[in-house]
Amino acid sequence: EASREWKVAADPAVRERVEKHVRENCPQQPAGCIEGAALTRMAAAERELLLDWVDAGAKLRAGQLMAERLLGVIERQISGCSAAEGLNAVKSRLRRMGFAVIPAPWIQPGEAVSKEWPGVSYGNAALIGDRLFLPALGLERVEKEWLAELQRLLPKGVEASYVPARFSLLRNGGIHCLMAFGRKH
């Protein structure tokens, strides 16, 4: 099964180079090409191939995880958010305290997804100058509609923009997490 997924997901040029390397170096045990001394030799002699191989494997695994996570998002959209009443109470209390409350979309994961993943939160954003950067999961039309509604609610002069954060969101990260790596101190 994994071999078939690899053949479909991997870039054909990378797949061809990896398969050639396996045929020439470890045809009986392909996993042996990326273990012990064979891995050390490959890192020294064929660094680009190793990087491409690892990158293709990471993309394959991320694609599998994303499918699980998106299934959870879809399930939750169908069944609705169980925390809506509690969130409405908090919004009312904040408004009574004088805060302007701008609701950000949040979708809990469905039952098919690990409980470690809290769902999609557009609250993990960053305001820099007059631009609000929001994470994008890749929900296309739905996210565009949310962005348009959020833009309508933001103070005049503040512009909302989506930043692709699909892989960061897989690990419970968002815009703050992505920006932390880009700062110079």
Side-chain angles (χ1 to χ4, degrees):
E1 182 65 30
S3 176
R4 186 175 65 193
E5 288 177 348
W6 161 259
K7 289 180 191 275
V8 171
D11 173 84
V14 171
R15 187 176 63 237
E16 185 178 316
R17 288 173 39 231
V18 167
E19 289 173 355
K20 180 179 183 239
H21 178 84
V22 168
R23 277 192 312 273
E24 292 173 359
N25 296 284
C26 45
Q28 304 301 335
Q29 187 184 11
C33 281
I34 53 173
E35 294 176 342
L39 177 60
T40 304
R41 281 191 305 277
M42 187 178 194
E46 298 188 60
R47 183 175 181 272
E48 290 302 315
L49 175 63
L50 179 58
L51 291 173
D52 287 346
W53 191 345
V54 169
D55 184 58
K59 285 178 182 173
L60 175 63
R61 182 63 184 135
Q64 294 165 338
L65 287 172
M66 185 56 67
E68 293 170 13
R69 301 303 197 276
L70 288 176
L71 175 61
V73 168
I74 291 166
E75 287 174 350
R76 187 53 67 186
Q77 285 178 319
I78 292 168
S79 65
C81 178
S82 62
E85 286 182 30
L87 293 174
N88 288 333
V90 171
K91 285 191 298 189
S92 295
R93 193 168 93 222
L94 287 170
R95 284 188 177 122
R96 285 192 305 271
M97 295 169 66
F99 290 97
V101 177
I102 300 173
W106 176 67
I107 305 168
Q108 294 174 323
E111 298 304 315
V113 179
S114 162
K115 296 301 178 204
E116 296 172 5
W117 194 62
V120 180
S121 172
Y122 295 91
N124 188 330
L127 181 63
I128 300 175
D130 60 354
R131 186 169 297 258
L132 177 64
F133 294 93
L134 297 157
L137 182 62
L139 300 177
E140 303 297 329
R141 183 186 54 80
V142 174
E143 281 183 327
K144 288 178 184 174
E145 290 173 11
W146 287 338
L147 180 59
E149 177 64 16
L150 180 62
Q151 184 64 61
R152 188 183 68 72
L153 297 169
L154 288 174
K156 199 167 197 79
V158 175
E159 185 177 339
S161 299
Y162 276 128
V163 176
R166 179 176 275 198
F167 296 108
S168 175
L169 289 169
L170 280 175
R171 297 289 182 201
N172 299 331
I175 298 304
H176 277 126
C177 305
L178 293 172
M179 291 184 158
F181 294 106
R183 291 186 188 142
K184 288 187 177 184
H185 297 284

